[in-house]
């Protein structure tokens, strides 16, 4: 296992390029199964979750080549519809492969993707939606056996605007017989990126980014070259880290509109933001003001993936902040670790009440999940003394070379094998 050792107190300064979006590239890699030809992807982040997905594609017979942020995938050689169970367990978001495999192979067998650190992560909406499209799905012995001789367009209403379920429906409906409508669809930018990718290989989809998506089934697909959108969660995390250290940084190669909810909260906390077409400069005040209320919501609301880093920031603000996690049932595990560093936080269910303190002190803490780990790095960057964050494999799933990038901004952070 490895850890990050951080000497706190350095102000972050300088410029950092934001990598491509993990949550856009994962469904697009699944979608590359559909054209059964060559897909070239640019701006792909070098992350564990991407490597696991590439492993799955390789193991089911596809050819995959990676050079720097460019991926070339040839899915013409796909040879099985059985997805390796070990890899599905390793990364539950591989459930997204179901829709694409049904389109390409008319069947798929995959291990039931379990829960993870932040919640039980049910897939009932995925399963009911794919059944509405004509798939027969049997859940037995920890496996999902799915098949669909024919996929028929359907009118689907999602009880919750689930990102994954919306994406799975798009992947299964892209070549259905007829038209599919998704109502109460997720509106995240990553869903829009998937629509744009599917249209680039020949699909006919419209409405992504709104709560109603229309998919007219098509039969023919083509090879494609496509560039993935930047990662808005990574971008927001670096802005938060700069704000925590009274820093002055610029983040580049981003789409500011994807960050609007977090930019408003950072402004409310007293940060100065210069927003340009593809970059943002953040100037942090000496002492942050507490943002009284933060509630995580589906996009364009405040993103659940930035709740932990932002909560970490509020531990240092003057005043009290009430932060409510509305999306996942178990996403406050970083609170206990932040309290070890001197933070004043109480929790009631999914709500954390954060009373700002002047300073945190370094400590040995454990990353419990991906974004909670980023929250602990944020605290370590500003705490007095040394902080060691253990179990950083969680963090490396979603942040490319975070130690190197923070070092380039002046942070004293080092990766060690503990
Ligand atoms: C995606 O997860 C992201 N992951 C998550 O990012 C992100 O937090 C989440 O969307 C919300 O924005 C990827 O895109 C790979 P959901 P997903 O389905 O699709 C419930 C990160 O840190 N639900 O929108 O799994 C579910 O339990 C990760 O990068 C059902 O009840 O999210 C949760 O409470 C974490 N039944 C809520 O919906 C279902 O069938 C949101 O889940 C599906 C979901």
């Amino acid at each position: 296992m490895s850890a990050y050792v951080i000497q706190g107190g350095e102000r972050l300064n300088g410029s950092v390029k934001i990598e491509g979006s993990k949550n856009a590239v994962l469904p697009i890699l699944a979608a590359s199964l559909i054209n059964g030809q060559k897909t070239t992807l640019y701006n792909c982040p070098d992350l564990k979750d991407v490597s696991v997905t590439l492993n799955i594609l390789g193991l089911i017979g596809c050819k995959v080549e990676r050079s720097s942020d460019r991926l070339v995938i040839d899915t013409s050689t796909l040879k099985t519809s059985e997805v390796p169970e070990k890899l599905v367990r390793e990364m539950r978001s591989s459930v997204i492969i179901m829709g694409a495999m049904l389109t390409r192979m008319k069947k798929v067998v995959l291990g039931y993707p379990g829960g993870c650190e932040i919640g039980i992560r049910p897939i009932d909406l995925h399963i009911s939606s794919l059944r509405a499209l004509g798939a027969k799905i049997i859940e037995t012995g920890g496996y999902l056996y799915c098949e669909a001789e024919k996929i028929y367009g359907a009118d689907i209403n999602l009880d919750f605007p689930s990102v994954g379920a919306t994406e799975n429906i798009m992947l299964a409906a892209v070549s259905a017989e007829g038209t599919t409508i998704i109502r109460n669809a997720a509106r995240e930018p990553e869903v829009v990126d998937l629509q744009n990718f599917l249209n680039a290989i020949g699909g006919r989809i419209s409405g992504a980014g709104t709560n109603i998506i229309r998919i007219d089934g098509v039969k023919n697909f083509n090879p494609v070259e496509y560039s993935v959108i930047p990662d808005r969660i990574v971008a927001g995390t670096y802005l938060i880290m700069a704000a925590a250290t009274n820093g002055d940084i610029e983040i580049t190669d981003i789409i500011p509109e994807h960050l609007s909810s977090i930019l408003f909260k950072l402004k409310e906390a007293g940060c100065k933001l210069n927003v340009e077409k593809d970059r943002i400069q953040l100037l942090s005040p000496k002492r942050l003001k507490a943002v009284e209320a933060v509630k995580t919501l589906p996009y364009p609301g405040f993103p659940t993936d930035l709740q932990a880093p932002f909560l970490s920031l509020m531990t240092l603000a003057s005043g009290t902040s009430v932060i409510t996690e509305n999306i996942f049932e178990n996403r406050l595990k970083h609170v206990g670790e932040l309290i070890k560093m001197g933070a004043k936080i109480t929790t009631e269910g999914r709500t954390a009440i954060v009373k700002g303190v002047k300073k945190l002190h370094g400590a040995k803490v454990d990353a419990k999940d991906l974004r909670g780990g980023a929250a602990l790095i944020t605290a370590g960057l500003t705490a007095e003394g040394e902080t060691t964050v253990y179990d950083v494999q969680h963090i490396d799933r979603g942040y490319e070379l975070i130690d190197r990038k923070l070092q380039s901004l002046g942070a004293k952070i080092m990766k060690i094998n503990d």
Side-chain angles (χ1 to χ4, degrees):
M1 295 297 198
S2 39
Y4 286 127
V5 179
I6 307 163
Q7 306 303 329
E10 303 297 325
R11 295 182 66 226
L12 296 191
N13 265 293
S15 177
V16 61
K17 178 184 177 310
I18 299 300
E19 63 254 31
S21 163
K22 164 176 88 78
N23 293 346
V25 74
L26 295 179
I28 286 173
L29 285 172
S32 72
L33 288 165
I34 290 171
N35 66 5
Q37 301 167 67
K38 211 166 168 185
T39 294
T40 303
L41 292 179
Y42 298 100
N43 203 29
C44 295
D46 182 7
L47 299 169
K48 179 122 179 323
D49 276 11
V50 174
S51 324
V52 170
T53 308
L54 295 177
N55 274 347
I56 292 176
L57 291 176
L59 286 172
I60 58 178
C62 305
K63 292 197 195 73
V64 173
E65 258 168 58
R66 158 153 234 156
S67 60
S68 146
D69 71 342
R70 192 185 67 138
L71 288 180
V72 180
I73 307 116
D74 176 354
T75 62
S76 60
T77 49
L78 173 63
K79 64 176 189 296
T80 171
S81 52
E82 310 237 336
V83 183
E85 186 207 345
K86 183 176 93 56
L87 292 173
V88 172
R89 246 210 328 280
E90 201 175 322
M91 192 188 66
R92 59 163 316 282
S93 51
S94 37
V95 67
I96 201 71
I97 212 161
M98 277 168 86
M101 284 294 256
L102 284 176
T103 291
R104 178 70 192 281
M105 302 290 277
K106 307 274 174 272
K107 67 183 280 206
V108 58
V109 179
L110 80 161
Y112 205 94
C116 69
E117 307 78 16
I118 61 177
I120 49 170
R121 311 292 293 272
I123 57 168
D124 56 310
L125 299 176
H126 297 244
I127 290 174
S128 57
S129 301
L130 295 177
R131 282 179 173 146
L133 293 166
K136 284 184 191 49
I137 302 179
I138 301 169
E139 308 162 50
T140 169
Y143 282 86
L144 288 163
Y145 297 86
C146 324
E147 59 183 298
E149 236 340 278
K150 227 176 192 1
I151 298 175
Y152 297 95
D155 195 326
I156 297 172
N157 192 84
L158 287 174
D159 293 347
F160 180 88
S162 154
V163 172
T166 300
E167 293 167 343
N168 241 335
I169 297 167
M170 291 163 74
L171 292 163
V174 69
S175 75
E177 194 78 25
T179 295
T180 298
I181 304 284
I182 311 174
R183 300 180 196 282
N184 195 24
R187 297 164 56 186
E188 274 70 1
E190 294 75 29
V191 174
V192 178
D193 215 22
L194 179 62
Q195 167 186 276
N196 295 342
F197 176 83
L198 288 170
N199 286 344
I201 63 169
R204 206 173 307 140
I205 305 179
S206 58
T210 74
N211 55 9
I212 297 190
I213 298 176
R214 178 191 170 105
I215 304 134
D216 295 315
V218 298
K219 288 292 162 238
N220 303 314
F221 296 98
N222 48 264
V224 72
E225 299 211 357
Y226 190 82
S227 189
V228 170
I229 57 169
D231 194 309
R232 61 191 168 97
I233 304 300
V234 170
T237 306
Y238 280 108
L239 290 178
I240 290 169
M241 289 174 167
T245 61
N246 185 23
D248 169 0
I249 72 161
E250 179 191 58
I251 57 173
T252 64
D253 297 68
I254 51 138
I255 301 172
E257 175 212 330
H258 291 169
L259 287 150
S260 48
S261 58
I262 179 71
L263 297 181
F264 274 105
K265 291 300 176 191
L266 286 168
K267 263 188 227 151
E268 219 179 305
C271 297
K272 273 210 177 11
L273 294 160
N274 300 325
V275 180
E276 294 177 34
K277 197 167 76 53
D278 66 351
R279 61 195 57 221
I280 295 176
Q281 184 196 11
L282 176 138
L283 287 148
S284 153
K286 217 146 177 41
R287 183 96 200 268
L288 294 151
K289 289 186 302 241
V291 169
E292 273 167 36
V294 179
K295 295 178 169 52
T296 65
L297 287 169
Y299 192 89
F302 190 93
T304 172
D305 295 347
L306 285 176
Q307 174 263 108
F310 195 81
L311 188 152
S312 187
L313 185 68
M314 289 295 104
T315 63
L316 293 158
S318 60
T320 300
S321 190
V322 179
I323 298 176
T324 307
E325 171 54 57
N326 292 313
I327 306 292
F328 289 106
E329 69 273 22
N330 196 11
R331 208 172 197 180
L332 289 176
K333 289 194 293 198
H334 42 288
V335 166
E337 301 304 297
L338 289 170
I339 290 171
K340 283 184 197 165
M341 299 177 73
K344 292 256 173 303
I345 312 170
T346 53
T347 57
E348 277 155 41
R350 295 189 184 188
T351 296
I353 296 117
V354 185
K355 208 172 159 335
V357 294
K358 282 235 177 7
K359 265 281 163 207
L360 296 175
H361 51 77
K364 294 186 185 320
V365 289
D366 296 324
K368 309 283 187 191
D369 57 62
L370 164 54
R371 308 301 175 182
L376 298 178
I377 292 181
T378 303
L381 288 170
T382 176
E384 258 166 7
E386 180 174 280
T387 298
T388 305
V389 181
Y390 293 98
D391 288 339
V392 298
Q393 69 281 1
H394 291 295
I395 304 170
D396 296 344
R397 284 187 44 219
Y399 293 92
E400 182 185 81
L401 300 174
I402 189 166
D403 48 337
R404 298 250 197 95
K405 291 183 179 179
L406 285 173
Q407 283 160 4
S408 74
L409 293 172
K412 286 202 174 102
I413 177 171
M414 210 171 47
K415 191 170 199 173
I416 60 162
N417 287 321
D418 78 74

